[in-house]
Amino acid sequence: MVALTALTPRWGAVITTDTAHIATSEGAAPEQISGIKLLTAPTADGKLTPDQIIEKAAARGDPQRAQPSAVSITQVTELGTVYAVDEIAAICETAHHVGLPVHLDGSRLWNAAAALGESFRAFTTDVGVDVLSLGATKNGALGSEAVVVIDPDRVAGIEYVRKAAAQLPSKMRFLSAQLEAMFTDDLGLRNARHANAMTRRLRTHLEAAMADGALPGFGFAQDSPANAIFATLPTDIADAIREKIHFHDWARERGEVRWMTSWDTTPADVDQFAEIIRQQFASGSPVRRG
């Protein structure tokens, strides 16, 4: 909200996807706190396209409509997919061509860097991202998040927005110290590489079980190269597995769940979870807490 409020005038709107966190998971904070209308574009993979930006930006100049004023994308996306460097470059080129700044929501930015094998700079500053939300909490920090202003000419009064939005906590040096630690000896990148590796380990287990015919009705909803698996499976089996290890329903109506690995997931955790899944498909009866 700090970044988008500083990018967007009172009459403005933000172009984003229909699965964006700001559209689905913030309790209407853009509308309630900042008065920002969201112009959402449908997407099957969580990625916004240049054509969608052009389509949504067509409202500019029409006084009857909220004015498209910024573009917001997420890296890693909410569906676990990752924008390639050239995809973000094309988005920024298109957005700037129609006069819009680009905000990148980077709650899992380290996971994206690990998946791409690229530096942050390669898919932010170098390709035209204007403002970045840098999240460290999902990578091992405690409540430590930052807004990185790459192009100061694109924002207005962000230091005042930060205070007015209650995002200037006391003892901020303790939050800042965590970010400094993340950039020391590649700690943040090492954490993300580990999380991504644990997802690959789980997917390998699941693919092997599928090849053996041990997971009837199981599938992958997305190709997720970072630290998320979006899987589809019978809801009764998912509910039974959840009796042992909790996880999130992503779209229950189509049997889709989300499994996340993190900086502190161990190989033993992954192997145990994979075995529980296999056993549940084999037994068809609920798994009970021991």
Side-chain angles (χ1 to χ4, degrees), residues 3-16 34-39 53 56-62 65-72 94-96 98-103 130-131 153-156:
L4 293 178
T5 302
L7 286 173
T8 310
R10 186 64 181 85
W11 54 87
V14 172
I15 299 171
T16 192
S34 299
I36 296 172
K37 182 176 179 61
L38 299 178
L39 304 175
I53 294 172
K56 296 295 183 181
R60 299 197 80 190
D62 181 351
R65 301 169 67 181
Q67 294 300 288
S69 302
V71 171
S72 182
T94 301
H96 293 163
V98 296
L100 304 180
V102 176
H103 164 259
D130 299 298
V131 181
D153 293 335
R154 293 284 190 177
V155 300

Side-chain angles (χ1 to χ4, degrees), residues 159 162-163 165-170 172:
E159 62 273 25
R162 176 179 61 174
K163 183 67 174 181
Q167 294 300 309
L168 184 63
S170 299
M172 183 175 270

Side-chain angles (χ1 to χ4, degrees), residues 74-156:
T74 309
Q75 176 80 316
V76 175
T77 76
E78 288 78 9
L79 299 186
T81 53
V82 175
Y83 286 96
V85 174
D86 60 351
E87 289 178 315
I88 298 180
I91 285 171
C92 292
E93 181 181 4
T94 301
H96 293 163
H97 179 71
V98 296
L100 304 180
V102 176
H103 164 259
L104 192 151
D105 180 350
S107 294
R108 295 188 173 89
L109 202 69
W110 270 284
N111 299 97
L116 292 170
E118 298 281 0
S119 68
F120 282 173
R121 184 182 183 92
F123 58 95
T124 57
T125 305
D126 287 351
V127 293
V129 171
D130 299 298
V131 181
L132 164 70
S133 297
L134 176 62
T137 305
K138 296 182 187 299
N139 200 33
L142 180 62
S144 187
E145 312 286 326
V147 175
V148 181
V149 178
I150 299 172
D151 185 353
D153 293 335
R154 293 284 190 177
V155 300

Side-chain angles (χ1 to χ4, degrees), residues 188-202:
L189 191 56
R190 287 189 283 115
N191 282 356
R193 285 171 177 161
H194 173 79
N196 291 3
M198 292 302 97
T199 286
R200 290 195 300 272
R201 186 184 185 98
L202 178 57

